[in-house]
Amino acid sequence: MSALKNTQMTGGLARMDLLGRLKATQIVDTKPVLPAEILSLILEHLTVLDLVHCARLSKRMREMVYDDTRWVRRLRLMGCWNDAAARTEAEEARRRKIDSLNTTQEHQSKKTAANGTTSEKSIAKAPEGSRKPSIPHVSITAVEKGTSKNVSDVVKRQDVENDGFDFVALSPTAPDPLPDHQPVDTLNALEVISTARSVRGTARQEYGRIHGALNLYYKDALRSKHPSNARIFRVYRDPVQQAAMLSQLVKFANSDLSLGWQAREEKLLFLVSAFEDAVSREFEQGLKLGDVDGRMKKYAHVLVTLNGGQRAVDLWINDNPVIKDSAGLGDPMDCISPNNQDHLFLEEAHSFLSHLSSAFNVQVTVIDRVFPASVSVVVPYLQKLGNEVLASYIDKLFVYLQEKSTESYVRAISGVYDQSLRFAKTLRPPQASGDEFYEAVDKLVADIFAPYAATYFSEELALFKRRSEIEVSGWERQLSQQDASLESMYMTNINRQADKRDFLSSFKKVVMMPVNVLPSFDISSRFGGKSPTSRASDSEDALNTYRAPQSQASSRPDTPDSRTVPATLISRSGTPISEPPTTELAAKAAIMKSKLEGIRTLFSLEVALNLVHMAKSSIDRAAVFARVKGIFDSDARNECEVIFIMLLRTLGDRHVKAGFDQAVAQLAKYNPRTASDQSQPGVAPLVMYLELVNVGDLIQQMLDVFYEQELVATRLTDRQDFLNPTVKEKKRFEQMLDERVAAGLNKGIEVLMAEVEFVCATTQNVEDFNPGATGMVINKIVDITPSNTAIWVVEVVSAHTKMLVGSTDKNMLDVFNQEIGLRLFATLCKHLKRQRISVSGSIKLISDMNHYFMFVQSLKNKDLLEYFKALRELAQIYLIDPSDAKELAAIIADADRFHGIFRAEEVYEYAERRADWYQVKSRVEKAMYGIGCCMM
């Protein structure tokens, strides 16, 4: 457009002179200027021919057309531009440029030094502004192609460089040029895109090279009326080359951004689809004929070259014989016993998975022969196989079992899942595959079992809760039906620590065994053997390897001769035992049971073992789902923790706690004067209670072993996490046990001391400490052994204190022993004040005190020992002859002699129990208090 601009008037032109005004007007031409952003957007939608025209309009347009980012975008649309490679190449070019500049400077420095003095003088005379060395600018391209003397040589060389657009027709109506002096390299054209370089500053040249190789075939394909008439099929005869060129044309079409690109793309894709259909028919023919290494392999490679080969993969998977004939691999109903639906034959599922694995591995061999290693065929085939074969098999099995039997349902899910994980490890991966194959297999198995996982966890927990409730309730019901009479058994000559270690060692072995060979203990069997319904044929051989050793026979009750009782064993009560123990743990449980006969009405070790066995079975089944990380891992861990918590609560609240409460109640009711049996040196309720403490400690150790080996060792829980529910519940169980033990020990000490007082009152003979008091002839032979009463008392107390060794905490045991010692001391002091001791009977008293002292010394309590030292010194006052009254008074008044345990007044009271006290009383008091002295 043009604009008129009035100029200033000079001279005296007339006011109405229009011609003069026109003459004075100047014409100013202005060109429209569009923003650079709009121009750039316009250039993005032009064809290559239009871009070449625009580049010739002006220098500014040429700069915009030649902008490297414009051509980088086109290369990126074709998928042949790598930013990381471009960045690496730029850094390498920069490094080469710096090295070249450094080399040039060193060369000039050496040349200047070699010129001699003349050159130095000429440089010195030169003007100051001209002393800086002139370093010519060398471009990156010039450095890459060789050393150049100046910039003009580089620019000149770059101008003559072929950029790929040399033969672009500038006329829209001109035919596509294919001159004889520039033939098209058909072989290199097949790899023109894959060989493109990602170099900053040369993107236009790279695109021009690709355009020159593919544009001819691209336009011809668009003009062809029929796909078979395209030039690509006339130039290339090999199907692989045809597929490669068509694949490149599809990529090249992505850089076509000009008007009408959608229609051109559809026409090109129609051509590619026709070619793909023809190749697929050839592949199907080879598939039907079984020509693996011939047609199948050839045309699979053609389809892979064309577009990745997904069409060939789908054809092969859909026509796979393993998927079509999957019924011959196995029937899920074969896993269920026709006579007993609670009995499963998981070997049938294992057989099905083995056949499936063998068939899969054969097909993997075919895949390796037909398809290139770069094509993912195994993973989609595996997914198809899993969803249509494996999922169908387990779905039919699980749905049927869920309606029939909960126990079989949970066993089947865990067992088949475990077998499926093992099945996944038997699959042979294809060539050039890594760990991602096994990850895909594990994910497939997890996806198949995902619909059943939540139901399984809830059913498993409900099953354990129901079975544990039945176990405890059945034991309680059995006790209510039996005679409630208590038969106490004093455990003499028994090493409880050794017995418990022996039992726990067998328990650890069984805990480490698989759940299918773990014996279950039937409460109806005296030896805790397996019931006939729980005995499985597949575990009998494994169970026989855990027979009880012959060395344990000595600790069992005597067994009658096999000739008199050929088929059965006879229990201590005379009841025939139908079945002997068949495992080491069962035998040890039977031995422990025979030793713990007296507490059978409180709680049962067999019930605890059965509950632990149930928990182990449930945890082992649930732990299978924790093997694959990140899928069922968290849910399986929570399930195992909840089962263990339920085990602790059932054993603690329903079983152990009730037994301790009952034992404490029996202790409170005990009266030694009304006890019917005094033939054994023990307190029946206290013996029962202390045995209960031992069994409670044994159960706690069993739970500790179970917790360590089943949860901690398998990393199903973290014992270092004090907020973990299992850690908190385990501490609560231990605290409950400690509280029950502490509550019973206080009552037990009172009962024990009552028994000691009763023994002292009923068994101490008058002539023990005062021979001849009854008028009988005194034996001249002095007996220096302790009295029967002292021996009986020590046996009673020591028997009960030894029962706690190894079953309670050491601190609690020390407190218990100290309390027993102090109360025994008080009881003996009280008993001593009820006796009459003569000088001749003091020897027996001193023997008794030494016997008590030796017993207390075995408790290893220094503070307690001081009391019995004082008691032993106290017995010396009865040995002094009546003629030595002053010596007796000195001993009575000597407070240091008794270590502050007895005051002089208290010793005086004990001295009054001398048989001759009324003979020596005045002299002793005179010596002590000065009674009878005269004042002058």
Side-chain angles (χ1 to χ4, degrees):
M1 295 178 63
S2 61
L4 298 179
K5 183 177 179 182
N6 293 329
T7 58
Q8 296 181 356
M9 304 297 295
T10 58
L13 294 176
R15 187 176 186 89
M16 299 301 294
D17 190 357
L18 295 178
L19 184 59
R21 288 180 177 272
L22 291 175
K23 290 180 179 180
T25 301
Q26 296 180 357
I27 298 176
V28 180
D29 293 334
T30 59
K31 297 181 180 179
V33 178
L34 293 176
E37 292 80 2
I38 296 179
L39 290 176
S40 178
L41 185 61
I42 293 173
L43 294 177
E44 290 292 339
H45 294 82
L46 296 181
T47 63
V48 174
L49 176 62
D50 294 333
L51 288 175
V52 173
H53 282 293
C54 291
R56 295 191 174 190
L57 293 178
S58 65
K59 184 176 181 180
R60 181 186 178 191
M61 293 300 297
R62 178 182 177 181
E63 292 176 355
M64 296 186 68
V65 171
Y66 282 17
D67 184 15
D68 196 60
T69 58
R70 189 177 314 284
W71 306 101
V72 167
R73 179 171 180 266
R74 290 178 179 265
L75 293 176
R76 189 177 285 116
L77 290 174
M78 290 190 294
C80 58
W81 179 265
N82 190 336
D83 290 320
R87 191 179 302 109
T88 303
E89 183 67 24
E91 293 176 356
E92 185 67 20
R94 188 179 299 107
R95 186 188 60 80
R96 289 196 299 266
K97 179 180 179 181
I98 294 173
D99 293 342
S100 177
L101 292 176
N102 293 335
T103 303
T104 303
Q105 290 179 355
E106 291 177 0
H107 179 70
Q108 289 182 354
S109 299
K110 293 179 181 180
K111 185 176 180 181
T112 303
N115 288 336
T117 308
T118 306
S119 298
E120 294 177 358
K121 291 181 179 181
S122 62
I123 293 174
K125 295 179 180 179
E128 184 177 356
S130 62
R131 292 182 184 179
K132 294 183 180 180
S134 177
I135 302 176
H137 174 71
V138 182
S139 66
I140 298 175
T141 307
V143 174
E144 292 177 352
K145 293 183 177 297
T147 305
S148 60
K149 295 183 178 180
N150 49 48
V151 180
S152 61
D153 294 339
V154 178
V155 175
K156 184 177 181 180
R157 185 177 302 167
Q158 291 178 350
D159 289 339
V160 299
E161 186 178 341
N162 182 14
D163 59 1
F165 298 112
D166 296 336
F167 303 103
V168 175
L170 299 182
S171 175
T173 59
D176 294 323
L178 190 59
D180 296 336
H181 64 277
Q182 184 67 21
V184 177
D185 191 348
T186 56
L187 295 180
N188 290 336
L190 296 174
E191 301 176 352
V192 66
I193 291 182
S194 60
T195 58
R197 297 178 58 198
S198 300
V199 180
R200 296 286 183 183
T202 63
R204 180 174 58 86
Q205 287 81 0
E206 286 296 325
Y207 183 81
R209 185 173 64 86
I210 296 172
H211 181 275
L214 301 180
N215 187 58
L216 177 65
Y217 299 101
Y218 179 65
K219 290 188 175 181
D220 180 76
L222 298 178
R223 288 195 299 263
S224 299
K225 296 182 179 180
H226 193 272
S228 60
N229 297 332
R231 178 181 294 181
I232 185 175
F233 300 116
R234 298 195 303 271
V235 175
Y236 299 99
R237 296 298 182 180
D238 187 6
V240 177
Q241 294 181 348
Q242 294 173 353
M245 181 56 69
L246 287 174
S247 177
Q248 289 194 113
L249 290 181
V250 172
K251 296 178 181 179
F252 180 72
N254 292 331
S255 66
D256 185 2
L257 304 176
S258 59
L259 186 63
W261 63 270
Q262 294 93 340
R264 292 190 294 272
E265 184 180 25
E266 290 178 0
K267 189 164 186 179
L268 180 63
L269 293 178
F270 174 76
L271 175 63
V272 173
S273 178
F275 177 78
E276 185 179 17
D277 292 340
V279 176
S280 298
R281 288 192 293 270
E282 295 294 333
F283 180 81
E284 284 182 305
Q285 290 296 327
L287 186 61
K288 292 179 181 179
L289 298 175
D291 189 5
V292 176
D293 297 319
R295 286 189 176 184
M296 290 179 62
K297 182 177 181 180
K298 176 181 179 181
Y299 292 104
H301 281 67
V302 172
L303 292 173
V304 170
T305 306
L306 179 64
N307 53 14
Q310 188 60 41
R311 182 78 169 270
V313 173
D314 294 339
L315 290 173
W316 184 83
I317 292 177
N318 293 331
D319 197 56
N320 190 262
V322 179
I323 298 176
K324 294 172 65 176
D325 304 331
S326 60
L329 298 175
D331 186 4
M333 293 297 104
D334 294 339
C335 299
I336 304 171
S337 174
N339 300 325
N340 184 8
Q341 295 182 352
D342 291 334
H343 186 67
L344 293 176
F345 299 106
L346 293 182
E347 296 83 0
E348 297 296 332
H350 179 268
S351 177
F352 165 78
L353 293 173
S354 299
H355 294 159
L356 184 61
S357 174
S358 301
F360 176 83
N361 292 336
V362 172
Q363 297 303 313
V364 170
T365 304
V366 176
I367 291 174
D368 291 336
R369 291 166 58 187
V370 173
F371 296 95
S374 59
V375 183
S376 177
V377 184
V378 173
V379 173
Y381 172 61
L382 187 64
Q383 293 175 348
K384 183 86 169 179
L385 194 69
N387 294 330
E388 296 191 6
V389 180
L390 181 58
S392 177
Y393 181 90
I394 69 172
D395 182 71
K396 185 177 179 181
L397 176 63
F398 293 166
V399 170
Y400 180 83
L401 289 177
Q402 189 175 12
E403 298 175 354
K404 300 298 181 180
S405 173
T406 302
E407 184 173 357
S408 298
Y409 175 71
V410 297
R411 287 178 54 205
I413 289 183
S414 178
V416 176
Y417 182 74
D418 182 40
Q419 292 180 357
S420 299
L421 294 180
R422 300 177 187 274
F423 154 79
K425 295 180 180 180
T426 63
L427 300 181
R428 189 180 75 84
Q431 297 177 357
S433 66
D435 296 336
E436 62 275 2
F437 170 75
Y438 291 106
E439 293 176 0
V441 176
D442 291 340
K443 185 178 182 304
L444 173 65
V445 173
D447 292 341
I448 293 175
F449 281 83
Y452 311 99
T455 305
Y456 163 75
F457 290 136
S458 61
E459 292 289 347
E460 184 70 73
L461 192 61
L463 176 65
F464 174 74
K465 184 177 181 180
R466 183 168 60 252
R467 292 181 63 188
S468 59
E469 182 68 25
I470 292 174
E471 182 72 23
V472 177
S473 300
W475 179 80
E476 294 174 350
R477 184 172 57 255
Q478 184 181 6
L479 288 182
S480 63
Q481 296 172 358
Q482 294 177 354
D483 185 12
S485 62
L486 178 64
E487 176 189 356
S488 86
M489 174 183 176
Y490 184 65
M491 299 179 64
T492 57
N493 300 324
I494 293 175
N495 189 339
R496 290 172 180 79
Q497 287 181 295
D499 286 339
K500 289 200 292 185
R501 284 196 300 267
D502 190 28
F503 178 80
L504 285 173
S505 63
S506 300
F507 179 76
K508 289 179 182 179
K509 291 180 183 178
V510 176
V511 170
M512 295 301 293
M513 291 167 61
V515 68
N516 59 343
V517 297
L518 183 67
S520 62
F521 295 89
D522 186 10
I523 194 171
S524 62
S525 172
R526 181 174 181 81
F527 283 91
K530 291 185 66 178
S531 61
T533 57
S534 62
R535 194 179 301 110
S537 60
D538 59 346
S539 62
E540 287 181 356
D541 296 337
L543 291 176
N544 290 333
T545 61
Y546 289 90
R547 298 282 185 184
Q550 296 296 328
S551 60
Q552 298 294 335
S554 60
S555 61
R556 295 187 185 183
D558 294 337
T559 304
D561 190 1
S562 60
R563 291 173 294 181
T564 60
V565 187
T568 61
L569 294 176
I570 300 177
S571 67
R572 294 169 52 217
S573 61
T575 304
I577 302 172
S578 60
E579 185 180 358
T582 58
T583 67
E584 181 181 355
L585 182 59
K588 299 294 177 62
I591 294 170
M592 293 295 294
K593 181 181 178 181
S594 65
K595 294 177 180 178
L596 302 176
E597 187 73 21
I599 62 169
R600 66 177 185 269
T601 59
L602 299 179
F603 56 72
S604 171
L605 183 63
E606 294 177 67
V607 172
L609 283 172
N610 285 337
L611 291 176
V612 170
H613 170 238
M614 296 175 190
K616 176 178 171 57
S617 301
S618 297
I619 289 178
D620 285 349
R621 288 194 294 263
V624 174
F625 289 87
R627 294 181 184 176
V628 181
K629 303 297 181 182
I631 302 176
F632 305 119
D633 183 32
S634 178
D635 294 338
R637 291 174 187 273
N638 293 335
E639 180 79 3
C640 295
E641 290 179 350
V642 171
I643 292 173
F644 182 72
I645 291 173
M646 191 173 294
L647 170 66
L648 292 176
R649 291 178 178 175
T650 304
L651 266 178
D653 298 338
R654 288 291 309 278
H655 202 57
V656 176
K657 182 179 178 182
F660 272 105
D661 292 342
Q662 186 178 354
V664 173
Q666 293 179 5
L667 277 176
K669 298 177 182 178
Y670 177 75
N671 186 358
R673 289 169 178 77
T674 60
S676 59
D677 186 12
Q678 295 293 339
S679 61
Q680 296 290 344
V683 182
L686 184 57
V687 170
M688 183 191 308
Y689 176 77
L690 295 179
E691 291 295 357
L692 204 64
V693 173
N694 278 278
V695 178
D697 179 69
L698 183 60
I699 291 176
Q700 181 179 348
Q701 293 185 43
M702 286 168 49
L703 293 176
D704 288 340
V705 171
F706 181 78
Y707 177 74
E708 290 292 331
Q709 296 186 358
E710 287 293 313
L711 296 178
V712 177
T714 55
R715 298 182 180 180
L716 294 175
T717 189
D718 183 12
R719 62 181 171 187
Q720 303 299 331
D721 184 9
F722 63 93
L723 296 177
N724 190 283
T726 57
V727 176
K728 295 168 65 176
E729 189 64 28
K730 187 170 178 291
K731 289 182 178 179
R732 193 183 74 86
F733 176 83
E734 295 171 353
Q735 183 179 2
M736 181 274 299
L737 197 60
D738 292 341
E739 291 175 354
R740 290 299 178 278
V741 170
L745 287 181
N746 185 37
K747 183 62 68 176
I749 292 173
E750 294 178 1
V751 171
L752 180 61
M753 290 303 105
E755 180 73 13
V756 170
E757 290 181 3
F758 178 76
V759 170
C760 292
T762 57
T763 63
Q764 191 75 62
N765 194 351
V766 177
E767 293 191 353
D768 286 344
F769 302 143
N770 190 9
T774 59
M776 296 178 62
V777 179
I778 302 175
N779 191 1
K780 295 183 179 180
I781 300 176
V782 179
D783 186 9
I784 61 173
T785 60
S787 65
N788 292 331
T789 300
I791 294 174
W792 190 274
V793 168
V794 170
E795 286 184 357
V796 169
V797 177
S798 63
H800 293 86
T801 55
K802 289 180 180 178
M803 291 176 69
L804 286 180
V805 176
S807 61
T808 58
D809 182 70
K810 184 179 183 302
N811 295 328
M812 181 179 292
L813 183 62
D814 292 340
V815 172
F816 177 74
N817 291 337
Q818 184 173 4
E819 187 66 22
I820 283 184
L822 291 175
R823 296 197 187 187
L824 177 63
F825 173 79
T827 302
L828 293 177
C829 291
K830 187 188 300 184
H831 175 65
L832 190 60
K833 289 181 179 180
R834 289 196 292 259
Q835 305 300 317
R836 281 292 177 182
I837 302 102
S838 64
V839 175
S840 58
S842 63
I843 297 177
K844 178 71 70 173
L845 178 63
I846 293 174
S847 298
D848 286 357
M849 295 306 164
N850 286 330
H851 190 61
Y852 292 134
F853 177 81
M854 293 176 62
F855 162 68
V856 174
Q857 193 176 22
S858 66
L859 299 180
K860 298 179 181 180
N861 192 317
K862 294 182 180 180
D863 297 335
L864 186 62
L865 200 62
E866 296 296 327
Y867 290 88
F868 286 85
K869 283 182 180 179
L871 196 60
R872 190 173 58 176
E873 293 293 333
L874 182 63
Q876 302 295 326
I877 66 176
Y878 301 105
L879 189 60
I880 300 174
D881 192 81
S883 61
D884 296 330
K886 291 184 179 181
E887 183 68 22
L888 178 60
I891 293 176
I892 294 174
D894 188 5
D896 295 336
R897 186 182 186 91
F898 303 101
H899 308 286
I901 304 298
F902 295 110
R903 301 191 306 273
E905 293 81 1
E906 294 175 338
V907 179
Y908 182 82
E909 292 179 1
Y910 288 105
E912 291 178 344
R913 304 312 301 169
R914 286 176 62 100
D916 56 358
W917 174 248
Y918 292 104
Q919 300 175 10
V920 300
K921 178 179 179 181
S922 59
R923 286 177 287 173
V924 171
E925 289 179 348
K926 181 178 180 180
M928 290 180 63
Y929 306 116
I931 299 175
C933 296
C934 297
M935 299 297 295
M936 298 299 294

